[in-house]
């Protein structure tokens, strides 16, 4: 389960880079964290119910030169195009995201 959640963060990072490249956006440091709820009694004990995550919450801090409005549009596109985000959403998992736009450090 930890690997699935790690892949979820990584998928958002890779999708961010793909979207940014296509839109000519320069990105800096990406920091992601995920929390999830899973009733493991189905997996571990064979209880009846849903073995899937009930909730995943992604928190991201990403450095950009975008203003907040443009950043919100960028995040919406990343969310739309990220395969694992869409896998969770379309399988009925409650997905919440909190992306924070940080100022891109000058080189």
């Amino acid at each position: 389960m930890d690997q699935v959640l790690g892949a979820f963060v990584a998928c958002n990072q890779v999708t961010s880079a793909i979207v940014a490249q296509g839109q000519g956006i320069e990105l800096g440091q990406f920091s992601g964290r995920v929390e999830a709820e899973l009733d493991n009694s189905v997996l571990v004990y064979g209880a009846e119910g849903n073995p899937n995550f009930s909730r995943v919450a992604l928190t991201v801090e990403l450095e950009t030169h975008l203003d907040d409005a443009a950043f919100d549009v960028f995040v919406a596109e990343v969310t739309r195009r990220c395969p694992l985000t869409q896998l969770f959403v379309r399988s009925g998992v409650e997905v919440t995201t909190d992306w924070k736009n940080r100022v891109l450090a000058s080189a």
Side-chain angles (χ1 to χ4, degrees):
M1 298 288 108
D2 290 342
Q3 290 177 337
V4 169
L5 297 174
F8 175 55
V9 174
C11 190
N12 274 274
Q13 182 178 17
V14 169
T15 304
S16 295
I18 291 168
V19 171
Q21 182 178 22
Q23 296 181 357
I25 297 169
E26 183 181 358
L27 300 181
Q29 184 175 354
F30 178 105
S31 175
R33 183 177 57 118
V34 65
E35 294 180 10
E37 289 181 11
L38 173 73
D39 177 3
N40 68 2
S41 66
V42 178
L43 172 64
V44 176
Y45 304 111
E48 294 297 320
N50 183 355
N52 199 356
F53 294 100
S54 58
R55 180 186 71 83
V56 294
L58 176 69
T59 303
V60 171
E61 291 187 15
L62 180 60
E63 292 179 348
T64 76
H65 283 308
L66 299 173
D67 63 30
D68 288 341
F71 185 75
D72 290 344
V73 171
F74 170 77
V75 170
E77 185 65 3
V78 171
T79 300
R80 183 184 77 80
R81 292 171 57 179
C82 178
L84 288 183
T85 298
Q86 291 306 312
L87 178 67
F88 282 139
V89 168
R90 293 171 188 227
S91 70
V93 176
E94 176 189 337
V95 177
T96 59
T97 61
D98 180 19
W99 289 65
K100 293 177 177 55
N101 187 15
R102 301 295 185 222
V103 175
L104 182 62
S106 298

